[in-house]
């Protein structure tokens, strides 16, 4: 036994002795308002379609999307990010269904706006990949490569139709050079200076997108390595960040979240605009699969992953658990 005076003078464990004490000194707190719900709406279905690779997530009908938006609002979630899934027959090389005022994404924006008004922030994915028959995020040139500048013209049109439909925030996610500036100009040209831009600033070419491909019915063959970022690079993200801010981004995002917490932390420490992180489909599916096997405690793992993302600096977290997590956070406070 140690003699008197040889014990450590500092005992951090003192502040861990009870749940109330741990709660009082917690450095990072999650709140329902930190959360944003990504949601998929599919054209031509009458019942929600379960996404096999993402247990608990569905492709919504227009009616069930409205319900999901209301549930998110009631749980205290701040926003909903909408992804449209068109009929395969409507896909083409230019992704014209994505800029059709009556396309599924624009209809979904109108539906949700009419249901919740301004009480929930309505966000929309501004990208062509769901709508192209080749599955890429832009139009292709004669050699089959994504044509950056031709794609920007399509993004400009897409921004305008989404704004006309009533979106509060657009999320240009295709990782085209100059996309934020072109979208800002397109919105301002039609007098929609009020529509914000959430820039997908650091979007990496990730293996964790796999389940998302099923969720949006992707037609992609190959990969997106020529426009999404190399997972090996960090300084490149900082360059993308500087460009997006110069072009007028109101908020910036790191995607995926979990494998890129170092990038998220560096971005968050470098800017004075709100920073988001997207906990993507593969991150979700790993936890759900391990929990189904009984290997981890599902509810605790969910909250731990979200806390880690928040601790790394994200003010907003896009997560498929948004409504569930928000409810659980509210329950824990009562």
């Amino acid at each position: 036994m140690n003699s008197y005076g040889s014990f450590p003078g500092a005992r951090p464990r003192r502040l861990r002795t009870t749940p109330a004490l741990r709660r009082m000194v917690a450095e990072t707190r999650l709140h329902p308002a930190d959360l944003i719900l990504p949601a998929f709406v599919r054209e031509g279905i009458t019942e929600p379609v379960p996404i096999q690779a993402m247990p608990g997530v569905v492709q919504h009908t227009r009616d069930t999307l409205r319900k999901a938006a209301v549930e998110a609002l009631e749980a205290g979630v701040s926003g909903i990010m909408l992804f449209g899934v068109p009929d395969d027959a409507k896909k083409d090389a230019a992704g014209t269904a994505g800029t059709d005022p009556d396309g599924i994404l624009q209809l979904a924006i109108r539906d949700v706006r009419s249901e919740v008004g301004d009480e929930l922030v309505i966000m929309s994915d501004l990208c062509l990949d769901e709508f192209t028959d080749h599955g890429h995020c832009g139009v292709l040139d004669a050699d089959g490569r994504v044509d950056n500048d031709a794609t920007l013209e399509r993004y400009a049109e897409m921004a305008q139709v989404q704004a006309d439909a009533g979106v509060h925030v657009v999320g240009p996610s295709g990782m085209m050079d100059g996309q934020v500036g072109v979208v800002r100009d397109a919105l301002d040209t039609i007098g929609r200076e009020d529509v914000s831009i959430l820039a997908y600033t650091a979007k990496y070419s990730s293996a964790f997108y796999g389940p998302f491909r099923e969720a949006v019915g992707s037609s992609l063959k190959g990969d997106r390595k020529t426009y999404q970022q190399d997972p090996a690079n960090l300084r490149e993200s900082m360059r993308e960040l500087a460009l997006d801010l110069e072009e007028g981004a109101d908020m910036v995002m790191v995607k995926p979240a979990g494998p890129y917490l170092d990038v998220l932390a560096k971005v968050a420490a470098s800017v004075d605009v709100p920073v988001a992180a997207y906990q993507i489909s593969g991150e979700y599916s790993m936890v759900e699969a391990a929990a189904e096997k009984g290997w981890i405690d599902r509810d605790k793992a969910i909250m731990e992953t979200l806390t880690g993302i928040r601790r790394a600096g994200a003010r907003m977290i896009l997560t498929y658990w948004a409504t569930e997590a928000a409810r659980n956070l509210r329950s824990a406070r009562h």
Side-chain angles (χ1 to χ4, degrees):
M1 184 174 181
N2 291 331
S3 61
Y4 180 77
S6 64
F7 292 107
R11 292 184 179 270
R13 286 183 58 190
R14 290 191 188 107
L15 301 183
R16 305 171 193 156
T17 53
T18 69
L21 191 53
R22 292 192 295 272
R23 185 170 62 248
M24 184 180 74
V25 301
E27 299 173 28
T28 302
R29 300 184 192 278
L30 275 173
H31 187 277
D34 299 333
L35 306 177
I36 297 166
L37 176 69
F40 308 100
V41 58
R42 179 173 168 181
E43 188 172 20
I45 58 173
T46 57
E47 297 291 336
V49 176
I51 299 168
Q52 297 302 314
M54 300 177 68
V57 180
V58 302
Q59 293 172 327
H60 284 287
T61 69
R62 290 174 63 187
D63 286 338
T64 63
L65 177 66
R66 290 188 187 96
K67 181 180 178 182
V70 170
E71 290 174 347
L73 173 62
E74 291 174 343
V77 171
S78 283
I80 186 167
M81 173 66 81
L82 301 178
F83 296 86
V85 185
D87 285 338
D88 283 344
K90 293 186 178 179
K91 294 182 180 183
D92 59 26
T96 53
T99 51
D100 180 352
D102 294 319
I104 184 60
L105 182 52
Q106 282 66 254
L107 293 176
I109 293 168
R110 291 190 182 93
D111 289 341
V112 175
R113 187 69 187 265
S114 67
E115 194 72 36
V116 300
D118 293 331
E119 294 186 72
L120 188 69
V121 179
I122 302 166
M123 304 176 164
S124 55
D125 181 54
L126 200 164
C127 196
L128 293 173
D129 60 316
E130 298 100 314
F131 305 101
T132 54
D133 54 12
H134 46 74
H136 278 288
C137 296
V139 295
L140 305 182
D141 63 18
D143 296 319
R145 298 171 299 191
V146 175
D147 186 324
N148 190 95
D149 295 1
T151 297
L152 293 181
E153 295 181 16
R154 301 287 296 122
Y155 286 2
E157 185 180 354
M158 199 172 202
Q160 291 175 342
V161 297
Q162 291 181 357
D164 287 342
V167 78
H168 296 107
V169 179
V170 294
S173 62
M175 291 300 289
M176 297 297 117
D177 295 338
Q179 63 184 13
V180 172
V182 165
V183 167
R184 183 71 272 157
D185 287 346
L187 292 169
D188 293 352
T189 296
I190 61 169
R192 296 308 306 271
E193 296 88 353
D194 58 319
V195 175
S196 301
I197 298 176
L198 170 58
Y200 282 59
T201 291
K203 183 178 180 181
Y204 285 88
S205 180
S206 173
F208 293 96
Y209 294 134
F212 182 88
R213 305 277 169 84
E214 178 191 344
V216 297
S218 175
S219 303
L220 181 67
K221 301 293 189 295
D223 58 50
R224 300 185 172 120
K225 293 182 183 295
T226 63
Y227 45 103
Q228 293 179 353
Q229 285 181 242
D230 186 339
N233 294 349
L234 170 59
R235 284 179 296 184
E236 182 181 30
S237 290
M238 304 312 293
R239 185 182 184 203
E240 293 277 7
L241 174 64
L243 291 168
D244 283 352
L245 292 174
E246 183 181 342
E247 291 173 24
D250 300 289
M251 300 171 280
V252 297
M253 180 155 63
V254 174
K255 180 182 182 182
Y260 298 92
L261 294 180
D262 60 323
V263 180
L264 174 59
K266 191 169 180 64
V267 168
S270 303
V271 300
D272 56 4
V273 299
V275 176
Y278 196 146
Q279 185 180 55
I280 67 169
S281 59
E283 298 176 73
Y284 173 94
S285 296
M286 285 194 301
V287 171
E288 291 288 350
E292 190 275 331
K293 291 283 190 180
W295 293 340
I296 61 173
D297 183 309
R298 176 184 179 275
D299 293 348
K300 291 180 180 178
I302 290 170
M303 299 312 295
E304 186 174 341
T305 62
L306 294 174
T307 300
I309 296 166
R310 180 71 181 83
R311 187 185 64 245
R315 295 296 310 178
M316 304 165 291
I317 305 172
L318 287 81
T319 175
Y320 299 99
W321 290 304
T323 301
E324 176 186 350
R327 287 171 177 160
N328 290 341
L329 287 167
R330 282 189 160 184
S331 296
R333 287 183 169 90
H334 296 306

